[in-house]
Amino acid sequence: MPLKVYIVFGTRPEAIKMAPVCHELLRDSKNFDVTICVTAQHREMLDQVLDIFGIIPDIDLNLMKSGQDLSEITTSILSEMRKLFKKNKPDLVLVHGDTTTSFATALAAFYEKIEIGHVEAGLRTYDIHAPYPEEFNRQIISKIANYHFAPTKTSQDNLVKEGVSKKNIFVTGNTVIDSLFWITKKSKNYIKSIEADISKKLNFDLLKSKYILITGHRRENFGDGFINICKSLTNLANNFSEINFVYPVHLNPNVQDPVKKYLSNVRNIFLIDPLEYEHFVHLLQNSYIVLTDSGGIQEEAPSFGKPVLVMREVTERPEAVKAGTVKLVGSNQSNIEKSISKLILDENEYKKMSLAHNPYGDGKSSSKIANVLKKKLVSTHV
Ligand code: UD1
Ligand code: UDP
């Protein structure tokens, strides 16, 4: 009998990183009976990814509410997953990373005594407030997961130090690299139309312009953090008037409000809606510098040799920092301005940070995860 696996996710980055796992397990219907369940903690931003990867969820809980708070999402997911797991008990639930969808789903599975596989396990800052609440979510999932798919040796070491048995940890690389390879290969055939689409949205020619790509959405930057970020972008845009600043703005109202208020009327700042993954990857690939607080972008940008300045005080992804392509600048206005200015004005600094480097995998992480599950579970399952 095939192993009954629920793959559960809810936000844009989880969808991007779980899509190759879905494809891999769905391909092997002899061994895996897969149910794809989305909480839709995100709606539009999740649907963009489902479309691109051709994933049709079996269950869509459609839970997103505008301006949702953490208790609200946690309780609604916990309660819906409880019902689902009671009704249709899977052998294994796969969750990803650090979102509230992953935390609440893992908790519901734990309460129903269902085994849990954690993809992208073992990333740590050991500061429970940064990233918030993601560091807490990750640590809790590690306490209750049965199988830990760690992207790197560093993340494996974190888990071992916390007492997770090495035999349940599998270093697989990060599935984001599988997705990155998949999307770049897929879009090769119609790259010109992608370029034209983006240029139209931006009102300038993507290939002829030097631009800094910006993204930001972290809860710990809400309020003063975002205001500082916006002020530094305004000053930089005024000081470097020949450079464009492109900012696909996350749909969270805590981000939309300050960003639109402070940046809407700056000539060379371009605020656009969140982009489809293949468009975003192309924008990233052609960018000059990346300024972000995103987790996934810290993993993707080094593949393209892009210098990345990260608006956080700490990161759970130290590998690219060690390699020299990622630098932490926090959300302090003058730090951001100084660091970007240095990269623009100092050619050596720019060159030092723009070496292509890929500490996060070889694009085969999802097949490694599927193989582990086959060996560990399918073989013992009757
Ligand atoms: C969530 C995750 C975070 C992840 C991020 C990726 C938690 C606690 N946070 O943060 O770890 O890095 O996603 O982007 O799990 N919204 C829309 N449409 C969408 C998506 C969001 O309108 O498609 C708006 C809604 O008003 C929603 C709000 O954004 O209430 C916040 O969404 P939420 O998932 O709670 O937080 P994120 O900041 O997106
Ligand atoms: N991304 C996207 N469109 C955008 C911005 C980002 O497809 O307009 C992708 C990006 O390539 C990366 C992921 O979304 O894979 C990162 O998501 P986000 O920054 O929202 O979350 P995090 O990684 O911080 O959890």
Side-chain angles (χ1 to χ4, degrees):
M1 242 195 345
L3 190 81
K4 214 157 132 187
V5 184
Y6 264 53
I7 305 179
V8 184
F9 50 92
T11 65
R12 169 173 69 190
E14 287 165 84
I16 290 170
K17 291 168 167 186
M18 284 304 237
V21 178
C22 293
H23 286 163
E24 198 66 39
L25 298 194
L26 283 169
R27 211 173 295 148
D28 186 356
S29 55
K30 192 170 126 266
N31 287 311
F32 299 109
D33 169 10
V34 177
T35 299
I36 297 173
C37 171
V38 296
T39 61
Q41 176 180 332
H42 284 175
R43 187 67 276 170
E44 302 87 332
M45 286 160 59
L46 171 75
D47 293 342
Q48 280 184 324
V49 182
L50 296 174
D51 276 359
I52 292 280
F53 283 91
I55 290 174
I56 302 167
D58 301 289
I59 301 166
D60 186 335
L61 299 175
N62 198 22
L63 293 176
M64 192 194 87
K65 291 206 172 66
S66 180
Q68 61 207 2
D69 72 24
L70 293 173
S71 302
E72 237 177 336
I73 340 172
T74 307
T75 48
S76 59
I77 296 170
L78 187 62
S79 140
E80 291 302 318
M81 295 315 300
R82 169 182 174 271
K83 280 188 237 161
L84 270 180
F85 291 156
K86 276 195 183 300
K87 199 169 126 203
N88 188 13
K89 207 167 177 160
D91 302 308
L92 177 78
V93 175
L94 282 180
V95 295
H96 181 278
D98 57 14
T99 67
T100 296
T101 286
S102 309
F103 155 62
T105 300
L107 189 59
F110 177 69
Y111 287 160
E112 294 305 318
K113 300 202 164 19
I114 298 166
E115 292 207 310
I116 301 161
H118 186 200
V119 179
E120 201 188 78
L123 277 67
R124 295 289 185 269
T125 62
Y126 292 110
D127 175 348
I128 208 77
H129 297 290
Y132 170 84
E134 290 82 3
E135 175 71 10
F136 165 81
N137 290 345
R138 277 184 196 281
Q139 291 197 22
I140 294 296
I141 299 171
S142 296
K143 295 273 176 244
I144 54 182
N146 306 80
Y147 308 98
H148 309 256
F149 300 102
T152 65
K153 165 94 174 46
T154 308
S155 35
Q156 179 189 40
D157 291 347
N158 290 336
L159 291 166
V160 171
K161 265 188 271 162
E162 290 169 26
V164 177
S165 164
K166 210 169 174 178
K167 70 177 188 354
N168 295 326
I169 309 172
F170 311 90
V171 180
T172 58
N174 197 310
T175 57
V176 77
I177 305 298
D178 304 23
S179 298
L180 199 59
F181 287 4
W182 187 86
I183 204 78
T184 28
K185 191 168 165 208
K186 174 177 180 280
S187 54
K188 238 185 206 149
N189 298 330
Y190 51 95
I191 206 75
K192 288 280 159 223
S193 96
I194 292 183
E195 278 159 10
D197 276 359
I198 307 175
S199 301
K200 197 167 153 206
K201 276 194 182 121
L202 292 173
N203 234 349
F204 66 76
D205 187 336
L206 178 74
L207 299 181
K208 289 190 184 142
S209 164
K210 203 177 225 186
Y211 62 89
I212 295 178
L213 175 60
I214 302 128
T215 80
H217 68 83
R218 296 249 79 85
R219 273 182 159 75
E220 58 275 24
N221 283 338
F222 289 174
D224 287 348
F226 265 98
I227 295 174
N228 290 339
I229 292 167
C230 291
K231 285 184 177 162
S232 64
L233 287 172
T234 307
N235 287 343
L236 286 162
N238 289 330
N239 291 344
F240 298 100
S241 57
E242 73 292 1
I243 296 175
N244 287 330
F245 293 73
V246 178
Y247 190 163
V249 189
H250 192 289
L251 295 178
N252 193 329
N254 292 300
V255 180
Q256 290 266 329
D257 294 350
V259 166
K260 291 201 168 143
K261 179 172 166 207
Y262 285 91
L263 303 179
S264 279
N265 295 317
V266 187
R267 184 194 52 82
N268 50 336
I269 296 186
F270 297 80
L271 305 180
I272 52 174
D273 286 335
L275 285 173
E276 288 174 351
Y277 187 50
E278 55 188 343
H279 288 66
F280 185 80
V281 167
H282 200 62
L283 193 68
L284 180 63
Q285 200 165 6
N286 284 292
S287 65
Y288 170 47
I289 294 168
V290 181
L291 177 67
T292 186
D293 65 13
S294 160
I297 296 169
Q298 288 177 63
E299 295 155 345
E300 291 165 340
S303 286
F304 298 127
K306 299 296 166 188
V308 189
L309 298 181
V310 176
M311 298 179 285
R312 300 187 187 193
E313 306 300 332
V314 281
T315 180
E316 67 281 41
R317 296 170 166 91
E319 295 84 357
V321 177
K322 258 187 227 147
T325 47
V326 166
K327 209 177 234 173
L328 298 178
V329 295
S331 57
N332 173 285
Q333 188 185 336
S334 93
N335 266 1
I336 296 176
E337 286 179 31
K338 270 194 217 143
S339 314
I340 293 268
S341 305
K342 188 157 194 227
L343 268 180
I344 297 173
L345 299 171
D346 181 344
E347 220 174 291
N348 283 334
E349 177 74 8
Y350 185 86
K351 268 196 198 138
K352 249 189 351 207
M353 283 190 76
S354 27
L355 295 174
H357 187 82
N358 197 343
Y360 295 110
D362 56 5
K364 296 185 180 129
S365 305
S366 31
S367 71
K368 287 178 194 157
I369 292 169
N371 282 334
V372 169
L373 293 179
K374 251 190 281 186
K375 274 198 201 128
K376 273 256 163 201
L377 287 173
V378 176
S379 55
T380 54
H381 173 74
V382 272

